[in-house]
Amino acid sequence: NEEENVKNEFSNTIWSSVYRQWIWADHLRNYFGAELPEKELNLSGNFTIEPYWMLMCLWYGVLFSVLEALRKIKVTVPGIQKDIDQMYPILRRFRNAVFHVQEDYWSEKWRNLILDNASAEKINLIHKQVGIFLLKGLTKDALSTNAHGKSGLK
């Protein structure tokens, strides 16, 4: 059935695209970890211009795009969806504050997330579980030439 083939190709393409986006987020997470100071973070002064802060902001923003894509295609992640649903609006506002200049330098759109001591651990868990879920969801066909045009990833 031609309609089913088109649907499967779309499905494979979107899964591959979402996973690629997650890989970008994972690279940013790793760079963030490498930039973190060895001692405890000092959130006084202007920490927002430090490389680790920039990398964390970019990581969270790209991770949100993954969560947004999963929501758009109505995919839930077993075992972690409750945490995703809780953090989704917070991460959306944070992403908006990162990618859209805020009038208020200390915008509550990102400040609320930073002041929540549990958010970093929760975001890390979401990040890891979504990556595992996406990898399990990919099939060999999802990385075929059909799903990627001329890229021919296999």
Side-chain angles (χ1 to χ4, degrees):
N1 179 331
E2 187 176 333
E3 186 176 317
E4 191 172 307
N5 288 340
V6 169
K7 184 178 176 183
N8 287 338
E9 186 173 321
F10 170 78
S11 176
N12 288 340
T13 301
I14 193 68
W15 274 100
S16 297
S17 295
V18 173
Y19 187 60
R20 178 193 59 213
Q21 200 82 359
W22 180 87
I23 290 171
W24 292 348
D26 197 49
H27 286 310
L28 288 165
R29 183 183 68 85
N30 290 334
Y31 295 143
F32 164 68
E35 283 292 326
L36 276 175
E38 290 185 21
K39 57 186 177 200
E40 188 173 322
L41 291 179
N42 179 0
L43 297 183
S44 63
N46 198 356
F47 62 91
T48 64
I49 61 173
E50 296 295 331
Y52 69 83
W53 171 262
M54 176 203 63
L55 290 164
M56 185 201 75
C57 290
L58 294 173
W59 163 36
Y60 285 9
V62 175
L63 178 61
F64 175 79
S65 73
V66 171
L67 302 178
E68 185 176 46
L70 292 175
R71 182 173 279 200
K72 184 176 181 179
I73 60 174
K74 297 176 176 29
V75 171
T76 58
V77 183
I80 196 80
Q81 191 62 46
K82 183 179 175 183
D83 288 332
I84 291 172
D85 292 342
Q86 178 191 10
M87 293 303 296
Y88 187 89
I90 298 165
L91 279 169
R92 181 183 57 77
R93 288 172 49 92
F94 187 87
R95 184 274 320 259
N96 289 347
V98 169
F99 292 107
H100 303 282
V101 175
Q102 301 298 296
E103 189 174 318
D104 180 8
Y105 189 85
W106 298 103
S107 171
E108 70 179 44
K109 288 181 179 180
W110 62 262
R111 189 182 54 204
N112 291 342
L113 180 93
I114 301 309
L115 295 177
D116 176 2
N117 292 334
S119 68
E121 187 175 322
K122 200 172 281 188
I123 291 168
N124 242 324
L125 181 62
I126 289 169
H127 176 91
K128 290 175 185 176
Q129 292 302 312
V130 167
I132 291 167
F133 174 77
L134 289 170
L135 187 58
K136 287 181 180 178
L138 285 172
T139 64
K140 186 175 182 183
D141 290 340
L143 297 176
S144 71
T145 302
N146 289 339
H148 293 283
K150 295 181 180 180
S151 69
L153 295 176
K154 292 182 181 183

